[in-house]
């Protein structure tokens, strides 16, 4: 068996996690601290044969039109964009598979994810190419896609009607 390191992500910018003040509630400060730990503590371990850059893929996706909205509570990945992006990162890193050829979507999130695959794929490819550098995702927001920075947009992306909720 080989040992791989899962490079985690920084918390969402408005996270209320009790440890976030350690980083001055600053997402980039936390991301840079994660990279510092990677270089000073992880890479020096001979038993670790590879680094899966999930945290960088997440930061890349945050640079897209999707924004800093891919956690469900400020630190755990959302069930849709967050988990799917991390899963694509693991898949591509461990298998060498081409994320552009992955079109499977979990049925419960297919409606939400299908239009945004280009952004997620670009985030992953950028992380694989530059694991310790944030690369801006330039994929355009699909025409008619919901604005994922608002509650109304998120509810719409799930195929629901905002009037059904209070």
């Amino acid at each position: 068996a080989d040992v791989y390191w899962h490079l985690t992500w920084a918390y969402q910018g408005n996270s209320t996690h009790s440890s976030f003040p350690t980083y001055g509630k600053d997402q980039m400060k936390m991301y840079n601290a994660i990279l510092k730990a990677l270089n000073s503590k992880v890479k020096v371990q001979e038993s670790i044969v590879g680094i899966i850059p999930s945290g960088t893929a997440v930061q890349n996706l945050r640079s897209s039109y999707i924004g800093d909205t891919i956690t469900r509570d400020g630190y755990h990945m959302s069930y849709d964009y967050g988990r799917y992006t991390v899963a694509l990162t693991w898949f591509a890193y461990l298998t060498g598979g081409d994320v552009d050829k992955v079109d499977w979507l979990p049925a419960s999130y297919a409606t939400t994810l299908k239009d945004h695959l280009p952004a997620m794929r670009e985030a992953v490819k950028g992380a694989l190419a530059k694991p310790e550098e944030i690369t801006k995702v330039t994929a355009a927001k699909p025409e008619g896609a919901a604005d994922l920075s608002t509650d109304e947009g998120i509810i719409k992306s799930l195929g629901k009607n905002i009037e059904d909720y209070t």
Side-chain angles (χ1 to χ4, degrees), residues 52-134:
I52 303 170
S54 303
T56 301
V58 166
Q59 284 304 127
N60 290 349
L61 188 59
R62 286 173 168 157
S63 78
S64 76
Y65 65 86
I66 292 173
D68 194 15
T69 61
I70 56 176
T71 67
R72 61 183 186 272
D73 57 6
Y75 45 97
H76 291 107
M77 286 291 94
S78 64
Y79 295 115
D80 48 19
Y81 304 101
R83 284 188 175 180
Y84 196 82
T85 300
V86 170
L88 278 179
T89 306
W90 275 69
F91 161 76
Y93 188 89
L94 293 174
T95 69
D98 183 354
V99 296
D100 287 327
K101 294 182 179 176
V102 176
D103 58 4
W104 176 87
L105 298 168
S108 55
Y109 297 104
T111 302
T112 309
L113 295 173
K114 68 180 166 85
D115 291 336
H116 307 286
L117 274 171
M120 291 182 287
R121 289 172 175 155
E122 186 179 342
V124 171
K125 289 187 285 189
L128 294 171
K130 297 179 179 179
E132 297 180 49
E133 182 180 323
I134 299 168

